[in-house]
Amino acid sequence: MNDKNKAILESIEIINTEYKALKDKLEIEKSEVDKLKENAETLKSEIYLLKGSIGLSVKNGISDKDKKDMEDKLDKAKKEFDNIKKELLKHKSLAEKLQQKINYKIEQLKQNPELKKYIEDEVVQKRYNKKLKKEEKNKAKLEKDKEKLEKERKELEEKKGKVEKLKELADNHPTLNNNIKGIITAREEIKKLKEESEKLRYIDPSSNSYVYKDANKYDEITKLIPQMEAKLEINRRNLIGYITKNKIGIKDNELDELINNMNIDQKGNLIVNTTAIDDKKSKLDKDIKSVDKKIKNSQNAIDNYKGAIKNNPVKQQGQKEPDENDPEKEPDEEKIGLWQRFKDWKAKKNQKALPDPEKGQQQDKKEKKGFFKRLFGKKEEETEQEQEQETQQKTTRELDFRGSMKYDIIKDFAESLGNDGLRNARKERNEAKKQKQEENKENDEELLEDDENEL
């Protein structure tokens, strides 16, 4: 283990003991603050009630003695309330000082570059990636939920449209109007007859069989039910026959549910009542709006995680840097200029006949590679050395600090670094958004100015 890192770990162990003690004290103070707040609220309500009682008693002619007793009680409650306020401020102040000490210890750790780099790369970034994947799954699920809700809403819209179409058919065709009325009437009658028949019998517990209050009337009613069912079926068959023949766009299995949204008023007219459909639509609209909000929040979280990862990327193992001297790679503008000047100079110097084209191309590639190697080779070597050094440092950090997450202060340190990264990513997104809005505003102003000039 690196001696410097060993010393850091030893100091962390000592600091962690102090840190835990501070956190324990902070929890005690927070608990005391919560308790005092609760007592203060109770006394506040008591004072309010006592004031009201005194005022009401005075109106009703309370005795001086009783009035004085109530006022003494009120004064006592006020004094107690003032004492609690003082205690509350005292414990709040202590809690704030403890929190400042805790924050200071975390900030001290941020001044250690090796430890900070390890926590950022090996803990924070991995947490970002894990949370990003989880949030992306959550967003995908929300989008599916929204799709399902929108599909359900569309079906309700179509259903309402079909109810209105059916009503329009009934208005234009008296026979169809009578068919629908016949279905509604038959349904209501069947329901009524079944309810009446059930009232005329009950189960005898001793024999576990039906006993009839009026067997003749029961038989009379039950014979009417098939007649009503036959009437319903005739009207339904006539109606669906017309719809199918004229290709109205209403299916057989939809018809009964559509007629559920129709009634007959007191004057005998057929009316549409889509309140149930509208209520469902209204609920779905609220649900869709709620899911939209969740999707927006989820997307913001995804953008924050991506921004935080982008601002502190962890290089993947095996990832290669592009070879700047590769003759197959398009050089940048600066290199193109240098290479072209070199070629021009060489051409003037040699002043020889052009060689075979194929050999010339191979020679050109060879010279180009050699030229860039001589020109930028040193820089490339330095880059490789820096990468090798960084890899070695990373390996050392991993070996030296991998057991540090057992300490409370390091756990909170990682949490703090994670929050810092997300806060910075959020800030950058907001600034970019603000800049874009300003650019759009400037463009709009320019367009307006051009329009005014044209006018």
Side-chain angles (χ1 to χ4, degrees):
M1 181 184 280
N2 184 305
D3 290 340
K4 187 180 176 183
N5 291 346
K6 186 179 178 182
I8 291 166
L9 278 174
E10 286 171 355
S11 66
I12 286 170
E13 195 162 354
I14 297 164
I15 294 167
N16 187 64
T17 306
E18 297 169 359
Y19 183 81
K20 281 179 76 177
L22 285 170
K23 282 191 81 176
D24 289 342
K25 286 179 183 177
L26 179 62
E27 285 303 313
I28 291 166
E29 291 303 322
K30 281 182 176 179
S31 176
E32 195 63 32
V33 166
D34 290 339
K35 191 165 70 176
L36 287 165
K37 276 183 179 179
E38 192 178 333
N39 292 343
E41 285 299 318
T42 305
L43 273 170
K44 195 175 176 181
S45 300
E46 191 179 326
I47 290 166
Y48 177 78
L49 290 169
L50 280 167
K51 282 180 178 179
S53 298
I54 291 168
L56 189 64
S57 300
V58 168
K59 282 183 181 180
N60 294 333
I62 190 174
S63 68
D64 291 341
K65 184 181 177 301
D66 290 341
K67 184 185 175 186
K68 190 177 182 307
D69 289 343
M70 291 178 80
E71 284 173 345
D72 289 344
K73 198 174 180 182
L74 178 62
D75 289 337
K76 187 183 175 183
K78 282 181 178 179
K79 283 177 185 176
E80 196 177 343
F81 181 73
D82 289 337
N83 289 335
I84 285 175
K85 275 175 72 177
K86 286 175 187 176
E87 282 293 306
L88 185 58
L89 289 170
K90 177 185 157 186
H91 286 284
K92 269 188 176 180
S93 177
L94 282 169
E96 284 170 8
K97 285 175 184 176
L98 286 165
Q99 188 63 61
Q100 284 170 4
K101 287 180 180 179
I102 287 167
N103 293 344
Y104 177 71
K105 289 197 177 291
I106 295 288
E107 287 302 316
Q108 277 185 310
L109 291 179
K110 288 181 183 179
Q111 304 309 313
N112 188 303
E114 288 297 307
L115 178 63
K116 185 181 177 185
K117 185 71 177 165
Y118 169 77
I119 297 296
E120 283 177 338
D121 289 355
E122 298 304 316
V123 181
V124 176
Q125 290 292 301
K126 287 177 180 178
R127 284 181 184 176
Y128 284 155
N129 281 295
K130 190 176 178 181
K131 287 179 179 179
L132 175 61
K133 286 177 184 176
K134 187 179 177 182
E135 199 58 59
E136 283 174 337
K137 284 182 181 178
N138 180 49
K139 190 194 169 194
K141 182 184 176 298
L142 287 168
E143 284 172 342
K144 280 185 179 179
D145 290 344
K146 184 186 174 184
E147 192 179 328
K148 188 179 175 183
L149 289 167
E150 285 178 337
K151 185 183 176 184
E152 196 176 338
R153 192 190 185 284
K154 188 181 176 183
E155 286 171 356
L156 283 172
E157 284 279 5
E158 289 172 357
K159 185 178 176 181
K160 186 176 179 179
K162 287 178 180 180
V163 172
E164 288 166 353
K165 186 185 279 188
L166 195 59
K167 173 67 168 60
E168 189 182 343
L169 278 174
D171 290 343
N172 295 328
H173 298 82
T175 305
L176 298 180
N177 193 306
N178 289 332
N179 288 148
I180 294 170
K181 284 180 183 178
I183 291 168
I184 293 169
T185 306
R187 276 182 182 176
E188 289 174 354
E189 195 63 34
I190 290 166
K191 185 182 175 184
K192 187 181 172 184
L193 289 168
K194 283 181 177 179
E195 286 173 357
E196 283 182 16
S197 65
E198 286 303 314
K199 287 176 185 176
L200 294 171
R201 66 177 184 174
Y202 62 91
I203 295 175
D204 183 3
S206 59
S207 60
N208 198 27
S209 59
Y210 281 110
V211 176
Y212 297 91
K213 295 176 184 178
D214 189 334
N216 292 330
K217 194 172 182 182
Y218 178 82
D219 290 339
E220 187 182 328
I221 289 170
T222 50
K223 284 176 184 176
L224 290 172
I225 292 172
Q227 294 174 22
M228 288 283 85
E229 287 174 343
K231 180 186 174 184
L232 188 151
E233 188 57 33
I234 290 165
N235 281 295
R236 194 182 183 286
R237 197 163 51 243
N238 290 339
L239 181 59
I240 200 66
Y242 180 89
I243 288 168
T244 305
K245 185 181 177 183
N246 292 278
K247 297 178 181 178
I248 304 298
I250 295 171
K251 295 176 184 176
D252 189 352
N253 58 0
E254 295 175 326
L255 188 60
D256 293 327
E257 197 176 349
L258 295 176
I259 293 173
N260 286 342
N261 296 282
M262 304 176 90
N263 290 318
I264 301 168
D265 65 13
Q266 291 178 349
K267 293 180 180 179
N269 298 319
L270 192 63
I271 57 169
V272 168
N273 182 9
T274 56
T275 306
I277 294 174
D278 292 335
D279 287 347
K280 282 182 184 177
K281 266 176 59 188
S282 179
K283 186 180 180 302
L284 283 169
D285 286 337
K286 286 178 183 176
D287 291 344
I288 290 167
K289 193 175 179 181
S290 175
V291 172
D292 273 332
K293 190 176 179 181
K294 287 176 184 175
I295 289 171
K296 187 181 176 182
N297 290 340
S298 182
Q299 185 59 53
N300 286 339
I302 288 167
D303 292 340
N304 288 338
Y305 289 130
K306 282 183 176 178
I309 292 166
K310 181 184 71 177
N311 291 337
N312 187 16
V314 180
K315 286 184 181 178
Q316 295 178 356
Q317 289 185 354
Q319 186 178 353
K320 292 183 180 179
E321 295 291 334
D323 184 3
E324 294 293 336
N325 298 329
D326 183 1
E328 298 297 330
K329 180 181 177 293
E330 285 295 324
D332 57 30
E333 288 183 12
E334 181 189 356
K335 290 185 180 179
I336 288 171
L338 289 167
W339 172 242
Q340 191 59 49
R341 292 208 303 268
F342 172 75
K343 282 178 71 179
D344 292 344
W345 170 80
K346 189 178 176 186
K348 283 180 183 178
K349 185 180 177 183
N350 292 337
Q351 291 291 322
K352 291 180 181 179
L354 290 170
D356 179 65
E358 189 175 340
K359 288 181 180 178
Q361 285 179 2
Q362 291 174 354
Q363 183 67 20
D364 189 59
K365 282 184 181 180
K366 189 176 178 183
E367 288 180 358
K368 189 176 181 182
K369 187 173 182 180
F371 171 76
F372 284 128
K373 190 171 183 181
R374 289 194 302 276
L375 192 61
F376 298 101
K378 190 177 178 183
K379 185 179 177 183
E380 182 69 24
E381 285 173 13
E382 287 174 357
T383 305
E384 285 176 4
Q385 285 174 3
E386 285 172 6
Q387 287 175 356
E388 190 176 339
Q389 190 177 1
E390 172 57 31
T391 304
Q392 183 61 42
Q393 287 174 348
K394 185 175 184 289
T395 306
T396 304
R397 283 195 298 269
E398 286 174 11
L399 290 170
D400 290 355
F401 295 127
R402 62 187 172 188
S404 61
M405 284 303 291
K406 67 183 178 183
Y407 299 112
D408 285 24
I409 192 167
I410 299 297
K411 289 174 186 175
D412 290 351
F413 177 45
E415 189 72 24
S416 177
L417 285 177
N419 292 336
D420 288 348
L422 290 173
R423 194 160 35 246
N424 292 336
R426 195 157 42 241
K427 187 180 176 183
E428 284 180 16
R429 280 200 314 110
N430 290 336
E431 285 173 357
K433 188 179 177 182
K434 189 178 177 182
Q435 187 179 349
K436 191 174 180 181
Q437 286 173 344
E438 286 173 359
E439 286 172 2
N440 290 339
K441 188 180 177 183
E442 285 174 9
N443 291 336
D444 290 343
E445 285 172 357
E446 285 175 10
L447 287 169
L448 283 169
E449 191 177 337
D450 291 343
D451 290 343
E452 285 173 6
N453 291 336
E454 285 178 15
L455 287 167

